[in-house]
Amino acid sequence: MHKARIGVTGLAVMGRNLARNLARHGHPVAVHNRTSARTKALVEEFGGEGTFLPAETPEQFVESLERPRRLVIMVKAGGPTDAVIDEFAPLLEPGDMIVDGGNANFADTRRREAALRERGIHFVGTGISGGEEGALHGPSIMPGGSAESYEALGPLLEDISAKVDGTPCCVHVGPDGAGHFVKMVHNGIEYADMQLIAESYDLLRHAAGLAPAEIAEVFRTWNTGRLESYLIEITAEVLAHTDAATGKPFVDVVLDQAEQKGTGRWTVQTALDLGVPVGGIAEAVFARSVSGHAALREAARGLPGPSRTAVAGSGFADAVEKALYASKIVAYAQGFHEIQAGSAEYGWNIDLGAMATIWRGGCIIRARFLDRIRAAYEADPETPTLLTDDHFAEAVGDAQDAWREVVATAARLGIPAPGFSTALAYYDSLRADRLPAALTQGQRDFFGAHTYRRTDRDGSFHTLWGGDRTEVGA
């Protein structure tokens, strides 16, 4: 009996397309699903694309895999993933590997990797970005796990990943949960990117008075320059689309309540644990949250605000482009800072330049300027923030007047722009000689004796606020 090089269990859209991608690249694939009807349907519909070895039972599935066995799980994160691991792990042998290709929480991946390592089984938490089309035609792949597991698994993943200039959009990220951590931050950056694009649309429509079809043309123009990206490209397509049922712009018939699956929240929660400021990502998460509170928004709809009369001049679109580019740089700088902090915290030794490299194709945030990010980290792997890289510092500096104009216009017209505003505030905070945090520390010392440090000598101090206000060492 011929053996499969790799197997996929969980044949919903992502799992099915990943299995097809592997088969199309000449790799015999074992396929399995909890309900065998999906397995049968895959083979019947797409069997001509390559070699599929269908299995009805876990035992048959594992038996059909060559050693070391490579078993890819494509099921919902959380309990369902644990259930599948518990089902298959007893059937495996030392040296085999379980690959989790779902959007798992990296902490769960670390737990699972440690438990399976004790049994001699490799657990490879793998971020896969690009949606169902990416899974089929070439995603960006972010595998974690041991270096040994990547030796056996990596060539297959690199083969089916997206390619940019001949370079696979796949690299070994680091041990245990590193792959899922990077995928989590990728998704957080995606939230910020989408929010900034949405704010650009809102400003062009309500400050410049452009119709959706006109804004679509603006985005198409932007997509020929430094903002060239998958998200800018599809934004133009969405804005140009007309609803067949009503004849109205499609964007006007879609309910303005954005949903989320959780990875953006995880990014913010983890950043808080690491002490890393990711305000741009946080505001994007909160913006989706606000949009979903329909009753709250309805109750507040009558609150007073300024006139929404369009006032922006003909050059406003150019100003928005500059504000979008500068804010986008901030969002990516914050995301890479979080990866840097997570890598240090967990000892992963993640190559930040390599992350920019594998995000250039296949994934949702693929964009031209990721080449610039890669170049920044190649020039200085220890750069503290992308904002201090010469190229990005110059770009943001050149954009700042327009950026401030856009934020001021949004405030003056009452157009919510939390992404633009918080990105600018972050930039100004980093470049400030002094922050009002000195006052905050004084307040904390006053009400809680939390102490403070001085600018003119070492040590921690406390002022006797309730007494004679002398200063004492802490």
Side-chain angles (χ1 to χ4, degrees), residues 325-334 336 373 376-377 383-397 403 423-431:
Y325 189 67
S327 299
K328 183 183 178 85
I329 292 170
V330 168
Y332 279 71
Q334 292 177 349
F336 275 88
I373 295 178
Y377 284 113
T383 187
T385 171
L386 289 171
L387 289 166
T388 60
D389 170 73
D390 288 345
H391 173 82
F392 290 123
E394 180 180 357
V396 174
W403 195 6
L424 180 58
Y426 177 83
Y427 173 72
D428 283 339
S429 294
L430 289 189
R431 68 177 193 83

Side-chain angles (χ1 to χ4, degrees), residues 62-125:
V62 170
E63 178 59 29
S64 67
L65 296 171
E66 68 180 27
R67 297 290 311 276
R69 299 182 180 95
R70 308 168 185 88
L71 190 161
V72 181
I73 298 173
M74 297 297 291
V75 300
K76 289 183 179 179
T81 298
D82 282 323
V84 173
I85 292 171
D86 290 342
E87 182 176 30
F88 281 94
L91 305 176
L92 300 179
E93 300 175 65
D96 292 345
M97 64 192 72
I98 296 177
V99 182
D100 178 11
N103 271 332
N105 188 300
F106 81 96
D108 287 339
T109 301
R110 298 190 76 215
R111 167 178 58 80
R112 292 164 181 153
E113 193 276 338
L116 289 171
R117 190 190 329 132
E118 292 185 356
R119 303 168 66 168
I121 298 171
H122 298 283
F123 186 74
V124 184

Side-chain angles (χ1 to χ4, degrees), residues 277-294:
V278 293
I281 297 172
E283 287 296 346
V285 173
F286 290 140
R288 293 196 191 188
S289 181
V290 168
S291 77
H293 282 273

